[in-house]
Amino acid sequence: MAFNDIPAARLRERFAAFLPNAEFISAEECYGGHINRTFFVDARVYGEKRRFVLQSVNKNVFKNYAGVMDNVFRISAHLGSKSLDMGSDDPTRDHIHFIRAADGGLGVDGEVGYWRLYRYIDRAEGRLSAKTPAEARAAAAAFGRFQWLLADLPSPRLWETISAFHDTRQRFANLEKSAEFDAVGRRAAVKDDIEGFLSLKSEALKLQEAFERGEIPERIAHNDAKYSNVLMDVATNRAVCVIDLDTCMPGLSLHDFGDLMRSMSCDRPEDEPDTSKIVVRRDMYDALLDGFLSQADNFLVPAERSLLPNSGVVITLETGSRFLADYLDGDHYFHIDYPEHNLVRARSQLALARSMLDTLM
Ligand code: GN1
Ligand code: MG
């Protein structure tokens, strides 16, 4: 078995850097993330077959990968101690358990990626789209709870693993720059899409401007709170564990609610090619609000509360503008499965933002 560019022997060697005494059985790639490479590894540890997640963190995107690892270990340790204090009924599955490298490091440096290992969470899966309000509610409650649990993370401040990550103004400026530069000659064909995003800039800047006016506070946020980043129990449909902690850093509470709306207020995936199907479902939105507020109601300030519906528009436009900029640049950032993938994503996001504005405002 080989994974295009990563031979099985390399995976075996990386895994051994963490658990040298375990017997590596096999590995399979897990597709879905747009940035990192993820493999499920089966191994025998003290005679028992167990599954792990071996991941290569993309060092081009996460230039401060040491900061990423410092953050994720601190966050997981904090969630672990909360789980213990609160007498969780599922402490082995309710947060990620990272495993240190055999030399004591937080991971292992490779040429293109920084490798890390954590325990696989069984009987749970990440999903690209939610079908029912109950799923949406459960996922939104999990992210609300995640923010609440991290609100008292001991200092120091978490590393900003990617600077200006939710700087929406900058993201829009980048789209304009990419259009102007037109690196691969795609601009003419997507003129209407570019204009579509730019015409909604004032909607896109609503969170950032409220923050700049001092109306909403900085908080520890997940910053990539899409549905596929919370594992759902396959039997009960309950939210088990928030994953993908690489962008968990100081941000806005509403960045997460916005991503929940982006990924779940419509029951189609982010790369739905038929934009006529991209329609916000009021029942899904109500479930998201109800789930999120079930955990966040006690800490949100009034200005955050009143901007909740706007946050979906903001994050959907921001993410869509990033897909379109990457398309214009020649697809260097997000992993794509086919040449027009980023354009399809950008168009679906624009349609979704418009539907949110029509339905929820
Ligand atoms: C990326 O890696 P993944 O798929 O969890 C991206 C997010 C986007 C998301 C869109 C570090 O997340 O910001 O919202 O794609 N992560 C990074 O699906 O850029
Ligand atoms: Mg992610």
Side-chain angles (χ1 to χ4, degrees):
M1 96 202 121
F3 302 95
N4 307 321
D5 47 327
I6 305 183
R10 170 67 53 79
L11 294 175
R12 186 185 288 267
E13 180 194 317
R14 294 300 181 211
F15 179 75
F18 293 86
L19 296 175
N21 299 321
E23 181 201 333
F24 179 100
I25 302 172
S26 61
E28 111 192 44
E29 185 153 11
C30 162
Y31 299 96
H34 299 345
I35 309 290
N36 296 333
R37 301 282 298 271
T38 304
F39 302 87
F40 297 141
V41 174
D42 287 321
R44 210 172 302 282
V45 187
Y46 297 117
E48 195 187 317
K49 192 174 166 195
R50 282 174 49 190
R51 182 166 261 217
F52 299 89
V53 182
L54 181 64
Q55 206 166 34
S56 165
V57 176
N58 183 328
K59 295 205 292 189
N60 282 328
V61 168
F62 293 105
K63 299 207 162 57
N64 179 15
Y65 52 90
V68 169
M69 294 310 296
D70 186 52
N71 279 4
V72 301
F73 266 82
R74 282 177 61 204
I75 293 163
S76 292
H78 187 71
L79 295 175
S81 73
K82 290 264 168 168
S83 168
L84 207 67
D85 288 352
M86 292 176 182
S88 160
D89 52 10
D90 209 357
T92 60
R93 298 202 309 156
D94 67 9
H95 64 285
I96 300 180
H97 294 251
F98 286 95
I99 296 163
R100 280 182 178 259
D103 66 4
L106 305 184
V108 174
D109 205 4
E111 305 86 65
V112 286
Y114 186 86
W115 293 84
R116 65 184 173 199
L117 187 75
Y118 53 93
R119 284 198 220 153
Y120 177 80
I121 295 176
D122 62 359
R123 295 167 284 129
E125 63 188 9
R127 299 174 183 164
L128 295 180
S129 59
K131 305 286 175 228
T132 64
E135 273 179 84
R137 189 189 185 286
F143 279 107
R145 184 175 170 79
F146 181 83
Q147 286 189 1
W148 175 67
L149 291 171
L150 289 174
D152 63 350
L153 181 80
S155 53
R157 191 172 185 263
L158 288 171
W159 293 98
E160 279 188 42
T161 55
I162 298 180
S163 65
F165 191 59
H166 282 305
D167 182 341
T168 316
R169 194 179 289 114
Q170 186 65 53
R171 297 291 191 185
F172 266 60
N174 290 347
L175 172 60
E176 288 185 275
K177 269 189 231 150
S178 296
E180 201 183 306
F181 195 59
D182 197 18
V184 288
R186 287 171 163 173
R187 177 180 56 200
V190 300
K191 196 170 150 284
D192 290 352
D193 304 282
I194 299 168
E195 279 167 14
F197 279 100
L198 297 181
S199 70
L200 293 174
K201 188 168 166 182
S202 64
E203 295 295 338
L205 295 188
K206 288 215 161 135
L207 291 189
Q208 190 164 17
E209 288 173 349
F211 176 71
E212 287 163 352
R213 287 192 300 267
E215 292 166 9
I216 55 178
E218 177 181 289
R219 299 183 190 282
I220 295 176
H222 182 282
N223 289 308
D224 189 10
K226 58 181 182 181
Y227 186 41
S228 58
N229 279 336
V230 56
L231 299 182
M232 302 294 289
D233 189 295
V234 290
T236 64
N237 266 339
R238 283 173 52 188
V240 178
C241 181
V242 169
I243 59 166
D244 193 354
L245 310 178
D246 301 332
T247 51
C248 182
M249 60 178 154
L252 302 180
S253 175
L254 297 186
H255 288 148
D256 288 355
F257 190 70
D259 242 322
L260 291 165
M261 285 177 67
R262 184 180 77 80
S263 57
M264 279 181 279
S265 61
C266 159
D267 53 21
R268 306 303 305 158
E270 169 185 276
D271 56 359
E272 168 60 60
D274 180 356
T275 52
S276 72
K277 293 189 178 142
I278 313 254
V279 181
V280 164
R281 277 175 53 179
R282 185 84 217 190
D283 61 340
M284 296 295 264
Y285 175 73
D286 289 343
L288 291 171
L289 199 58
D290 187 50
F292 193 69
L293 290 178
S294 73
Q295 306 295 316
D297 203 26
N298 55 352
F299 63 79
L300 292 182
V301 300
E304 287 176 304
R305 227 171 275 265
S306 64
L307 283 165
L308 280 161
N310 301 86
S311 70
V313 178
V314 169
I315 291 294
T316 304
L317 289 171
E318 184 188 287
T319 309
S321 74
R322 294 172 60 199
F323 290 142
L324 189 54
D326 197 32
Y327 181 72
L328 286 161
D329 294 344
D331 308 303
H332 299 301
Y333 188 90
F334 296 104
H335 172 82
I336 51 167
D337 294 332
Y338 54 92
E340 306 291 285
H341 205 166
N342 271 321
L343 178 59
V344 165
R345 289 170 176 149
R347 287 184 170 155
S348 81
Q349 301 299 279
L350 185 56
L352 180 59
R354 286 176 171 152
S355 177
M356 286 174 180
L357 287 163
D358 288 348
T359 318
L360 306 173
M361 306 286 155

